[in-house]
Amino acid sequence: MLKNHEKDHILKNAYIPEHILNLMIPLSKAKAFFINDYLGFVRGDVLIFIGYPLNKNFSEQNFINSLQSSIRKFNPCYVWFITPQIPSELEKLCMERETDDYYILDLEKLNIKKELIRQIKKASMYLTVRRNSEISKEHLRLIKEFIEIKKPSQRVAELFLNINDFVTYSNTAVVLDCMDKKDNLIAFYVLDVGGPDFITYVIGTYDRNNYIPHASDLVFHEMINIARQENKKYIHLGLGVNEGLRRFKEKWGGVPFLKYELCGYRITKTESTLIDSFLIR
């Protein structure tokens, strides 16, 4: 559905993880489309609209017009969109809504604290981080453990459960494994290195039954090394999600980058007419 020049434009100007086609296509299991500098995805009767224009010039009216044009074209039953701000006219439609911030780590301003360096060195006495290109039964075991204990939202759980599709599909996927001296998987991260000037942290978890302090910090440090090897300017750390994750990202120097708003709703004839009315103001 995308033309080659559109793919080139998206790759060159991507600035959030949802702009990375190699990441979104296998995870969403959807076909991508491009309209008015916005990227979207369609799977059956579901429309996913990425409300962050590639030119970074967000306009509420342009967003509404582009979203409605997409709805008219694909006639979905369910709509999900993310945007830096939800227009007040659309707020009443949201059956599900989330508010958060994207976090990034600016590598040009990075200054790792001495205590963190000490903890990394200590962890490296017992652990080794290595690059991998596949998801094994051990990765799936840690994913299952994470979901059973943490009970994340359905979308987060699906992200973890579908991660093998991304790793198998994408040539920009990197798996970082943290192994102990007995070659047991203690923790892992999955990254995407395909952004124009950033890499993306996609998921990560650790073994809660064989916990070794600062294993996640050791993997995080290796992620920084990979970003520098790839000549990236920053690392996309994803959303804040919860206080614990925010603290972890902030201790490494992660800072809020962009506002994130999610809205999900089901299309009905009334709702379709309501959106149309916004466009005739």
Side-chain angles (χ1 to χ4, degrees):
M1 297 176 73
L2 291 177
K3 299 177 182 178
N4 287 334
H5 75 273
E6 292 174 332
K7 292 179 182 179
D8 292 341
H9 177 70
I10 293 165
L11 179 61
K12 181 180 178 181
N13 294 284
Y15 57 93
I16 60 172
E18 288 82 0
H19 287 153
I20 305 298
L21 295 173
N22 276 356
L23 177 64
M24 283 296 292
I25 289 174
L27 290 179
S28 68
K29 297 179 174 59
K31 294 182 179 180
F33 67 90
F34 194 60
I35 180 171
N36 298 335
D37 220 37
Y38 288 96
L39 180 62
F41 300 87
V42 175
R43 183 188 69 238
D45 60 359
V46 178
L47 174 72
I48 303 169
F49 196 81
I50 311 303
Y52 294 80
L54 273 296
N55 61 17
K56 299 183 180 181
N57 295 322
F58 178 80
S59 155
E60 286 195 1
Q61 192 58 53
N62 185 46
F63 167 74
I64 292 174
N65 291 345
S66 302
L67 174 62
Q68 180 62 2
S69 294
S70 301
I71 291 172
R72 286 172 176 160
K73 179 176 181 179
F74 296 106
N75 194 29
C77 293
Y78 302 91
V79 174
W80 294 90
F81 66 79
I82 59 172
T83 175
Q85 62 186 67
I86 299 177
S88 58
E89 300 95 322
L90 298 184
E91 287 182 326
K92 63 191 71 177
L93 300 180
C94 300
M95 298 174 64
E96 187 167 349
R97 181 172 179 179
E98 289 182 10
T99 298
D100 207 328
D101 292 288
Y102 285 111
Y103 276 71
I104 65 166
L105 181 68
D106 188 334
L107 296 175
E108 296 177 348
K109 299 178 180 179
L110 180 61
N111 183 21
I112 304 175
K113 297 177 182 178
K114 291 182 179 179
E115 176 62 18
L116 201 47
I117 294 174
R118 185 187 68 79
Q119 292 168 348
I120 294 167
K121 289 181 177 178
K122 185 176 181 179
S124 66
M125 296 171 61
Y126 309 98
L127 303 168
T128 303
V129 180
R130 65 191 186 198
R131 292 179 68 153
N132 187 9
S133 59
E134 61 182 24
I135 297 296
S136 69
K137 291 181 179 179
E138 282 302 292
H139 295 94
L140 296 177
R141 179 181 65 83
L142 296 190
I143 286 173
K144 181 180 178 182
E145 180 183 88
F146 165 79
I147 292 173
E148 288 177 348
I149 294 175
K150 289 296 185 178
K151 295 179 173 54
S153 68
Q154 181 179 347
R155 280 187 303 281
V156 172
E158 288 178 352
L159 172 61
F160 273 78
L161 292 171
N162 292 333
I163 200 65
N164 187 54
D165 294 333
F166 161 59
V167 173
T168 301
Y169 172 93
S170 177
N171 60 5
T172 58
V174 174
V175 182
L176 287 183
D177 293 340
C178 184
M179 315 297 295
D180 67 11
K181 293 185 180 298
K182 295 182 179 180
D183 215 30
N184 296 310
L185 182 65
I186 302 301
F188 75 92
Y189 280 12
V190 177
L191 319 174
D192 179 88
V193 299
D197 52 9
F198 64 90
I199 71 170
T200 300
Y201 162 81
V202 184
I203 68 164
T205 190
Y206 60 89
D207 191 337
R208 288 161 174 80
N209 293 315
N210 188 18
Y211 175 75
I212 297 181
H214 306 296
S216 294
D217 289 316
L218 189 62
V219 185
F220 196 104
H221 188 252
E222 183 58 25
M223 177 172 65
I224 292 173
N225 291 337
I226 288 176
R228 285 172 166 163
Q229 291 166 11
E230 297 284 339
N231 296 315
K232 306 298 186 181
K233 295 180 180 179
Y234 62 99
I235 299 174
H236 233 296
L237 298 176
L239 302 177
V241 182
N242 58 53
E243 185 60 29
L245 275 175
R246 282 192 292 272
R247 285 200 303 268
F248 181 79
K249 293 171 183 179
E250 289 169 354
K251 82 172 182 178
W252 276 98
V255 295
F257 171 59
L258 273 176
K259 199 69 182 175
Y260 170 95
E261 297 275 1
L262 176 144
C263 172
Y265 65 94
R266 180 172 181 174
I267 294 276
T268 67
K269 185 176 181 180
T270 301
E271 289 165 348
S272 182
T273 302
L274 184 60
I275 296 177
D276 283 339
S277 71
F278 300 151
L279 307 178
I280 308 175
R281 290 176 300 178

